[in-house]
Amino acid sequence: MDREGRIGVGSLAEVNSQLAQIQNQYTAYGVRFTNASSAPAGTRILGAINKTAVAGVGVAGMSDFDGIAPFTLKLCNRSGGAVTAYYGEPGFSRSNDTFVECPKGYYKVWNDGTYTNYAVSDRPFAIPPLTNAEIHPVFKHNSSEQDYVYPGAYMSSYDGASKHESKTGALPDNVISRTTARTRSKVRGSYAILQDVQIRDWLNILMAVEFATRDMQTAIGRGYCDMPYSSTHDAVVAESAVNRIIIANAFADLYVVGQEISIGTSEGNNSIAADRTVTSIDVYDGSNKVISFDGAAVNIAIGNNVWSSRQKNGKCDSIGQGTGRAAGTNGKTSVIYRGIENLWGNIWEWVDNLNIRNNQGYTDIEGRIASYSDTDFGTVYSAMSATFPATNNYMVTPLIDPVSGLSCLPATVGGGSSSYYCDYYYQNTGDRAARVGGYLSNGSVDGPWYWYLYAAASGTDWDIGARLLEI
């Protein structure tokens, strides 16, 4: 400004630049977590200041981020790689393949020495002196920019012939290797894959910013994680042609009406009854209760074991495309984030485009889905900038990886179920594949940052499933 109060050309340009920077920052929404504090709660920054989000129970929660991109996730039906109807429109049905449309987003995750910071927007933004934000890697599949990506609203079910689906009321496909999960996903078309590490990273960032915490089991719900699974839950009465099993009161009280159970000769065995829905739990005598279930009648012998098994998709349908948990006991109900059900709990989910060899992660940074593999450790896949921890424990700090752009995996561990990221981490040496989320009897170790980098891609068990992703 000169002596007469006039703004010079150079000064005006500088002011406009500063105003643009300020405006740019406030198109972004963020949260920061104090590195020196174990408290999982963070502090809102940028455009997220003074905003709130509360998850619902049985109904959609309330969030100031509703209507703000990139939080504008939409439930939709898809067929042949195209959206056929959105939630609320005529023709939409959860009985058809149901996905959640995620619009393109920009992001920045950085550690400034004092804080670990997350910021997102639907447009480019800059936070000086940092470099500009970038499009998140999930929107760069096949080396090209994607306007939308579509994770399955439900865990993948199997059509019985060749392919995976995403439908309400269906049982999640299980006892599948990652190789099989990838194959059944890709049968849908060239646009379909098994969910990869990029989509899980993006969803974790959105949740952290929206709820300003690293503890999603507290913010949204524990998930289907506190279910009974024990070798001691045995039948005490033998019966023929019945739809019930009689077990001790203390054990029966751990089950809930509406859940799925299986019965066999031991826990994990379903040779007598598989994936039946509990219809009632009633008194049998002073010491025992009757757990009744649907389906064909069976013969029960003394000593047969009942156990909680994978539960059907759709337990959060009443919440629509909102966020929360199904009505019932927290820990014994499914959770949902903006229309995506069971991101943690129920059964494990395989994750593609992440291979691990002796704690070193490898991923294809270009997201070339035709090249996703269980055996690539440096050909198409690139090594991440640092190794993952070589010990099992709760995640403390994320590996903010400049190679892949990911930040959902651990750099350090040593926390607890109510500190830092609040989710556990398992690892093993050798060639490993990634699972995420935990399963139905894991309890407080479950969550969206619960990574299981322990087993090979060929691993199969009743508690392992998958989720689709379409681009």
Side-chain angles (χ1 to χ4, degrees):
M1 186 175 294
D2 63 20
R3 292 180 179 178
E4 297 180 3
R6 293 173 298 191
I7 298 176
V9 174
S11 297
L12 180 59
E14 183 178 347
V15 169
N16 285 337
S17 176
Q18 291 174 350
L19 287 173
Q21 289 180 359
I22 293 171
Q23 184 180 28
N24 218 2
Q25 291 181 45
Y26 281 84
T27 63
Y29 305 87
V31 63
R32 68 186 186 191
F33 301 100
T34 304
N35 294 336
S37 172
S38 64
T43 301
R44 297 189 183 278
I45 60 174
L46 307 174
I49 294 173
N50 295 325
K51 285 184 165 44
T52 60
V54 179
V57 178
V59 296
M62 300 180 63
S63 175
D64 291 337
F65 294 86
D66 290 347
I68 297 176
F71 299 92
T72 49
L73 279 59
K74 297 180 180 179
L75 274 171
C76 61
N77 292 143
R78 282 175 62 82
S79 178
V83 173
T84 57
Y86 287 99
Y87 177 74
E89 290 182 349
F92 176 85
S93 172
R94 294 178 182 271
S95 297
N96 298 327
D97 282 311
T98 306
F99 292 79
V100 173
E101 183 178 84
C102 300
K104 180 172 62 181
Y106 294 75
Y107 82 115
K108 197 72 182 177
V109 180
W110 73 101
N111 189 326
D112 59 18
T114 303
Y115 304 105
T116 298
N117 305 267
Y118 297 82
V120 297
S121 179
D122 66 333
R123 65 196 72 180
F125 65 94
I127 304 174
L130 300 174
T131 57
N132 291 345
E134 299 178 351
I135 297 171
H136 190 274
V138 76
F139 302 104
K140 295 180 181 179
H141 278 100
N142 290 339
S143 305
S144 62
E145 199 170 301
Q146 309 289 324
D147 289 331
Y148 302 95
V149 294
Y150 299 85
Y154 303 109
M155 297 191 68
S156 297
S157 52
Y158 185 48
D159 72 348
S162 63
K163 70 178 183 294
H164 273 164
E165 299 178 322
S166 179
K167 296 181 177 181
T168 191
L171 283 164
D173 195 14
N174 69 340
V175 197
I176 51 173
S177 66
R178 189 172 71 170
T179 310
T180 298
R182 182 188 300 117
T183 299
R184 291 179 177 178
S185 300
K186 293 175 71 173
V187 167
R188 297 177 61 85
S190 60
Y191 47 82
I193 55 175
L194 169 66
Q195 70 172 350
D196 56 22
V197 65
Q198 282 74 20
I199 184 61
R200 295 299 297 223
D201 185 76
W202 177 242
L203 293 173
N204 282 10
I205 293 171
L206 289 182
M207 286 187 285
V209 172
E210 182 170 2
F211 286 92
T213 184
R214 297 169 284 190
D215 183 2
M216 293 307 154
Q217 280 192 300
T218 297
I220 297 176
R222 288 180 59 78
Y224 195 71
C225 70
D226 293 333
M227 303 311 298
Y229 180 80
S230 171
S231 62
T232 62
H233 296 181
D234 293 342
V236 296
V237 176
E239 296 185 297
S240 298
V242 294
N243 284 81
R244 67 183 197 172
I245 185 170
I246 301 167
I247 64 174
N249 286 337
F251 301 147
D253 290 342
L254 301 174
Y255 294 81
V256 294
V257 173
Q259 75 162 99
E260 275 66 57
I261 58 170
S262 291
I263 302 171
T265 55
S266 62
E267 78 274 24
N269 178 282
N270 61 6
S271 58
I272 295 170
D275 304 304
R276 303 297 186 88
T277 302
V278 174
T279 56
S280 67
I281 301 175
D282 305 294
V283 173
Y284 178 74
D285 59 26
S287 301
N288 306 291
K289 288 184 178 177
V290 175
I291 299 178
S292 300
F293 49 86
D294 66 356
V298 299
N299 298 326
I300 300 293
I302 293 175
N304 286 163
N305 183 266
V306 59
W307 49 282
S308 299
S309 52
R310 56 182 174 161
Q311 69 165 352
K312 293 178 181 177
N313 294 331
K315 299 294 177 73
C316 287
D317 283 357
S318 65
I319 299 176
Q321 56 186 9
T323 299
R325 64 177 177 85
T329 302
N330 194 11
K332 300 188 177 187
T333 59
S334 290
V335 291
I336 187 170
Y337 176 68
R338 293 198 169 271
I340 308 173
E341 187 179 84
N342 284 328
L343 283 171
W344 59 93
N346 197 13
I347 59 176
W348 289 103
E349 296 182 14
W350 282 118
V351 175
D352 217 343
N353 199 19
L354 178 61
N355 296 333
I356 307 95
R357 172 171 284 172
N358 297 328
N359 303 116
Q360 173 68 63
Y362 296 83
T363 181
D364 177 16
I365 60 177
E366 300 294 335
R368 290 162 286 195
I369 62 179
S371 299
Y372 283 5
S373 163
D374 295 328
T375 58
D376 194 322
F377 295 94
T379 305
V380 173
Y381 285 26
S382 299
M384 297 175 71
S385 61
T387 57
F388 305 132
T391 56
N392 307 329
N393 212 320
Y394 287 88
M395 179 170 162
V396 171
T397 61
L399 172 57
I400 302 173
D401 180 49
V403 176
S404 64
L406 300 172
S407 60
C408 59
L409 291 143
T412 64
V413 297
S417 62
S418 59
S419 64
Y420 299 104
Y421 284 79
C422 305
D423 297 342
Y424 209 72
Y425 160 77
Y426 267 110
Q427 55 76 46
N428 197 357
T429 56
D431 293 353
R432 305 297 165 185
R435 303 179 202 163
V436 73
Y439 76 109
L440 56 84
S441 66
N442 273 160
S444 296
V445 303
D446 280 1
W449 279 281
Y450 183 16
W451 289 97
Y452 191 82
L453 311 184
Y454 185 89
S458 59
T460 60
D461 209 337
W462 71 266
D463 60 353
I464 308 172
R467 186 180 300 268
L468 284 162
L469 176 65
E470 295 192 352
I471 63 172

